[in-house]
Amino acid sequence: MNSIEYTRSKVPEVTLVFWIIKVAATTLGETGGDTVTMTLNWGYLAGTILFLSVLVALVAAQIAAKAFHPVLYWATIVASTTFGTTMADFADRSLGIGYTGGSTLLLCLLLLTLGLWYWSLGSISVDTVSSPKVEAFYWTAITFSQTLGTALGDWIADSTGLGYEGGALVFGAALATIAAAYYWTSISRVTLFWLAFILSRPLGATVGDFLDKPVNDGGLALSRPIASAVLAIFIIVCVLVLPQRAGSHPAVSRTTA
């Protein structure tokens, strides 16, 4: 007969704690990336190479790990969102393709990654992230979504004239709509997760820009290093104090009666 077993994922269960840390991590990605590229004057290319190196090392460690480790997982998320900040800025500004071109390109890359993931494995649910192949798709999709989120945040804030506060309200409202859909509709939970994951990144980006951009540009002109340090401490405390556990998904195994 068939019996149901549960396979542990190597990513955390998606709860309110997950989203709190995720938004804080995306905001840190914006202020941390700007700290290196602007405050320290490394430039977008050098900053992108630096954070890509860190991201690759952490993803390799994450894939090599045998189980879910909160500190390692969230360090990798922060690395992906910081790389996303510098990569999007490099593409939008240094390469000259603009916010619209950058957002379009990154959206296509993300959809291609998710499409290949689904075609290869039949699911893009994060609950199934428990093997190296799935993790490779997962972290590729995560990185493209983080970079896309940065480009979207800059596009909404700068190109539409809404500014950073207006951009934060737009993305905050979009996330509230997704939350309502989660509780009161039957829309695919996997689809809602990826929509929320993508849109939480520009929310963090616009909040981060609001904190550290000059007053003349609509920001508060706070110190980028100090804002980054405060956000990092907040994330560390959340990871160490708030309960998290690995997600799980059912797997059918055949046993003989």
Side-chain angles (χ1 to χ4, degrees):
M1 65 177 181
N2 291 333
S3 64
I4 301 296
E5 294 180 349
Y6 285 86
T7 302
R8 286 293 175 183
S9 172
K10 288 170 64 178
V11 301
E13 186 179 29
V14 180
T15 62
L16 179 59
V17 171
F18 175 91
W19 292 114
I20 290 173
I21 302 176
K22 169 61 168 61
V23 172
T26 60
T27 308
L28 173 58
E30 192 70 21
T31 59
D34 288 348
T35 295
V36 171
T37 59
M38 298 180 186
T39 304
L40 299 180
N41 293 317
W42 278 46
Y44 298 125
L45 179 58
T48 298
I49 293 173
L50 169 65
F51 291 119
L52 176 59
S53 301
V54 174
L55 175 60
V56 169
L58 288 172
V59 168
Q62 176 75 15
I63 292 176
K66 301 302 182 183
F68 167 62
H69 300 285
V71 173
L72 176 59
Y73 176 83
W74 287 109
T76 312
I77 288 290
V78 170
S80 72
T81 191
T82 311
F83 167 74
T85 295
T86 56
M87 184 65 229
D89 287 343
F90 177 71
D92 295 341
R93 300 168 189 175
S94 298
L95 296 182
I97 63 177
Y99 298 131
T100 303
S103 298
T104 302
L105 174 61
L106 289 162
L107 177 60
C108 291
L109 290 172
L110 175 59
L111 292 177
L112 177 62
T113 301
L114 292 175
L116 289 173
W117 182 357
Y118 187 83
W119 175 78
S120 177
L121 297 165
S123 173
I124 56 172
S125 171
V126 297
D127 286 341
T128 64
V129 181
S130 57
S131 71
K133 184 176 181 179
V134 183
E135 283 191 273
F137 278 118
Y138 175 77
W139 287 109
T140 301
I142 290 296
T143 300
F144 281 140
S145 71
Q146 303 280 37
T147 312
L148 170 62
T150 300
L152 283 176
D154 289 340
W155 178 66
I156 289 292
D158 295 341
S159 299
T160 66
L162 288 174
Y164 301 120
E165 290 176 299
L169 288 175
V170 167
F171 292 116
L175 287 170
T177 301
I178 292 172
Y182 177 85
Y183 287 107
W184 295 311
T185 74
S186 58
I187 296 175
S188 166
R189 298 305 187 250
V190 174
T191 299
L192 291 176
F193 168 83
W194 283 108
L195 286 174
F197 198 97
I198 293 168
L199 291 177
S200 63
R201 176 65 185 98
L203 173 62
T206 50
V207 171
D209 281 336
F210 177 67
L211 292 175
D212 66 29
K213 296 301 182 187
V215 175
N216 291 338
D217 292 336
L220 295 180
L222 298 178
S223 165
R224 293 183 184 112
I226 292 177
S228 299
V230 170
L231 287 164
I233 292 171
F234 174 77
I235 292 170
I236 291 170
V237 170
C238 287
V239 171
L240 295 179
V241 174
L242 298 179
Q244 293 183 78
R245 63 182 180 182
S248 62
H249 70 280
V252 177
S253 63
R254 187 174 300 277
T255 60
T256 302

